[in-house]
Amino acid sequence: RRLNRFLKLYELHNEADAIYVEKSNEDNISLNLLCLDPSARIRESLNLVKGAVLYSATLSPIDYYKNVLGGEVRDKDLILPSPFPKENFKLILAPAALKYKDRDKSLNQVVDYIKAFINSKKGNYLIYSPSFEYMEKLKPYFVSDNHNEVIYQNKDMDDIEKNIFISHFLKRKNQSVVGFSVVGGAFAEGIDLVADSLIGVVVIGVGLPTISFKRNLIKQYYDQKAISGFSYAYKHPGMNKVSQAVGRLIRSETDIGAALLIDDRYLTNEYRRLFKNEWHDYEVATDKQEIKKVL
């Protein structure tokens, strides 16, 4: 069955696909077919109907999504502001050097930011790390005590374990619940923690996917089309993960909360242009005292 499916997909092979051999060991060699650009095939499907509406809260930047989802110049797009009160959401940007080579150097600074954020008010918080490796480095700095119950996402959690993790946020407790997760992971989308079950979100880094052979094939493909391959393979998918994570915070018109984005790249024009429309009203905090002051 798998071979038949592969052959059917191979019949559609064109310049928007890459085919490569992967060898993990002497006995495990695989032939892979990777779609680099889905736009033409999505457009074929859309052309079968009279009209289609594609919508999401995280289609930003719109030009990127129109391109990869088969949109054309004549297609209309509509960007609507958040329907929720602006005063219910506070965004804080905190600069720190978080490129991979700099992460160990800035770890103490990141810890100070997080502690100032979660200790300013009793409540429930989600902290999104750039990777499980980075989360392990944070663990020694955060332990459960009389004020905070600290929980961690594990790799390969089953549905029961995921539900147990979420249940900590739904119980009435005298402690704050501080959950550590991974950006782009199981708890970065598709969960609704309304009202005071979640009052704060921290995202460490800009969500860039791990550099990989597959991602670099996508980068190379768009570079050859005179489009920023790095943006299409890494930057835009990364910011989508950040948007999804921050989106866990305000789920209704009565929710109130704050989000802390930690990375000095957020202060560059390159990344500020990617912010969603409702993220323009932010404050910058360069140390833990300023975070407390803003909150």
Side-chain angles (χ1 to χ4, degrees):
R1 182 184 298 175
R2 292 174 62 191
L3 180 60
N4 182 54
R5 181 175 181 271
F6 183 92
L7 291 173
K8 287 184 179 297
L9 290 172
Y10 182 71
E11 290 176 2
L12 302 173
H13 177 68
N14 58 33
E15 64 167 5
D17 301 314
I19 190 164
Y20 63 94
V21 174
E22 190 173 24
K23 182 178 180 181
S24 56
N25 55 55
E26 291 297 330
D27 300 319
N28 193 351
I29 299 173
S30 60
L31 183 65
N32 297 272
L33 186 61
L34 174 67
C35 178
L36 305 171
D37 177 6
S39 59
R41 288 171 185 142
I42 295 176
R43 170 53 60 181
E44 285 180 17
S45 296
L46 296 178
N47 286 339
L48 297 176
V49 296
K50 191 167 184 177
V53 177
L54 285 70
Y55 68 94
S56 173
T58 54
L59 292 181
S60 179
I62 193 68
D63 291 341
Y64 161 71
Y65 283 99
K66 282 184 75 171
N67 200 357
V68 298
L69 294 175
E72 297 177 347
V73 175
R74 62 185 174 88
D75 293 331
K76 304 295 184 183
D77 57 73
L78 177 64
I79 301 175
L80 296 171
S82 170
F84 303 139
K86 290 182 179 180
E87 59 271 20
N88 286 5
F89 173 66
K90 171 63 69 178
L91 178 65
I92 307 171
L93 307 183
L98 277 164
K99 292 181 179 178
Y100 190 79
K101 62 182 176 63
D102 300 320
R103 287 179 181 174
D104 287 342
K105 300 175 189 175
S106 62
L107 185 63
N108 287 328
Q109 183 184 18
V110 170
V111 169
D112 284 345
Y113 283 149
I114 296 172
K115 286 188 175 181
F117 188 75
I118 65 176
N119 292 332
S120 291
K121 183 178 181 180
K122 190 185 81 173
N124 297 338
Y125 299 86
L126 272 171
I127 317 297
Y128 293 98
S129 294
S131 65
F132 282 102
E133 177 190 18
Y134 192 89
M135 189 196 300
E136 287 298 318
K137 294 179 180 180
L138 290 174
K139 279 187 177 181
Y141 298 92
F142 297 91
V143 294
S144 295
D145 53 32
N146 291 333
H147 303 289
N148 300 314
E149 178 189 2
V150 183
I151 58 176
Y152 293 92
Q153 175 186 355
N154 297 316
K155 285 185 178 180
D156 305 318
M157 286 175 120
D158 59 28
D159 288 342
I160 294 176
E161 291 169 319
K162 291 176 185 175
N163 287 334
I164 292 173
F165 184 94
I166 293 297
S167 70
H168 287 271
F169 293 86
L170 304 177
K171 299 173 183 175
R172 297 285 178 182
K173 296 182 178 181
N174 293 323
Q175 295 172 297
S176 295
V177 176
V178 183
F180 284 83
S181 182
V182 172
V183 67
F187 304 108
E189 59 179 307
I191 60 171
D192 281 316
L193 295 171
V194 297
D196 58 357
S197 55
L198 184 68
I199 69 166
V201 164
V202 178
V203 179
I204 305 167
V206 292
L208 294 183
T210 302
I211 294 174
S212 67
F213 177 71
K214 291 181 181 180
R215 289 281 171 184
N216 283 339
L217 286 177
I218 297 172
K219 178 182 180 298
Q220 182 181 356
Y221 169 83
Y222 284 104
D223 280 339
Q224 290 171 349
K225 288 181 166 289
I227 298 173
S228 172
F230 178 77
S231 294
Y232 274 57
Y234 292 99
K235 185 168 66 175
H236 294 329
M239 279 303 293
N240 180 268
K241 293 178 184 179
V242 173
S243 293
Q244 293 281 5
V246 174
R248 299 312 94 211
L249 185 60
I250 305 297
R251 307 302 295 173
S252 76
E253 63 274 11
T254 57
D255 285 4
I256 299 173
L260 175 65
L261 304 185
I262 305 175
D263 198 305
D264 50 19
R265 284 169 285 190
Y266 287 120
L267 300 181
T268 65
N269 289 332
E270 178 185 6
Y271 275 88
R272 281 189 290 192
R273 282 196 296 266
L274 301 180
F275 280 11
K276 295 168 62 179
N277 288 344
E278 61 267 30
W279 287 12
H280 290 316
D281 186 19
Y282 59 81
E283 295 196 47
V284 177
T286 57
D287 57 40
K288 57 186 180 183
Q289 285 78 19
E290 289 188 2
I291 287 178
K292 293 176 181 178
K293 182 180 178 181
V294 170
L295 290 172

